[in-house]
Amino acid sequence: MIIVKTREEIEIMRESALVVSKTLGMLASEVKPGVTTLYLDKLAEDFIRAEGAIPGFLGLYDFPNTLCMSPNAQVVHGIPNKTPLKEGDIISIDCGALKNGFYGDHAYTFAVGEIADDVKKLLDVTKQSLYEGIRNFKAGNRVGDVGYAIQKYTEDRGYGVVRELVGHGLGRTMHEDPEMPNYGKRGRGKKFTEGMVVAIEPMTNLGTHKIRQHSDGWTITTLDNKPSAHFEHDVAIVNGKPELLSTFKYVHDALGIVSNEEDEFRQ
Ligand code: MG
Ligand code: MG
């Protein structure tokens, strides 16, 4: 069942999303060679609590930490550990926060120092595919329109779209209907209406789209061990159009990136 939100609820959800946006922005300055993902996890937990929110993943389905930290070939759901990041790594940081009864949930994949050109391109294509998806999240469109847009953009450039993990509706629970696959057919699936809020989150592999699950029950890596990237935004339908609730502004500020790519999704 899809739970649509009122304008008031959407504004509350914007606050929850912004807690995560600011957390990712704080982490952006801390991601560097030699730092462990467990250290970053602790920073994030303290930051989220100081914002008057609760880490959204900690304890959810028994996940042990605040952040899902997935380096290199790990796709998503990596558990923070004591292995230091090294120059040339990429690290997907997925973060959730619960504030005023609503969840925020978004993710960014960071470069650790200088990374290879092909990996840089993977990050760029994954991020752009997210905006292709968001552009299609509007009243009257369907779930398949978003999936199609992401898949087409990604596969046209030769990358693999992960099938087994999907975006989702977001609200008083972390995962609501509808499921939002990053692949699909135009005009298929549930129809989008005013007040829907979803997390759109392409997971894109440099090589094969196939993945495997590790014995820890969480970590997922690419089958060919090539890198995988992940970007996620929270989006509402307001006045029939996509309205971004989360923002990469804080990350961009920390990294010195000038970008206007979110402008079209603000009313
Ligand atoms: Mg997430
Ligand atoms: Mg999500």
Side-chain angles (χ1 to χ4, degrees), residues 101-116:
F102 286 92
Y103 282 97
D105 172 24
H106 74 132
Y108 194 94
T109 301
F110 296 91
V112 182
E114 276 301 311
I115 60 172

Side-chain angles (χ1 to χ4, degrees), residues 57 94-95 105-107 168 201 230 232:
F57 297 161
D94 193 353
C95 180
D105 172 24
H106 74 132
H168 49 93
E201 49 180 315
H230 177 214
E232 177 177 23

Side-chain angles (χ1 to χ4, degrees), residues 9 24 27 83 87 112 120 129 134 163 194 224:
E9 287 172 327
L24 292 176
L27 291 168
T83 307
E87 182 87 17
V112 182
K120 216 177 272 182
S129 79
I134 292 171
R163 309 290 202 275
E194 186 74 12
D224 58 10

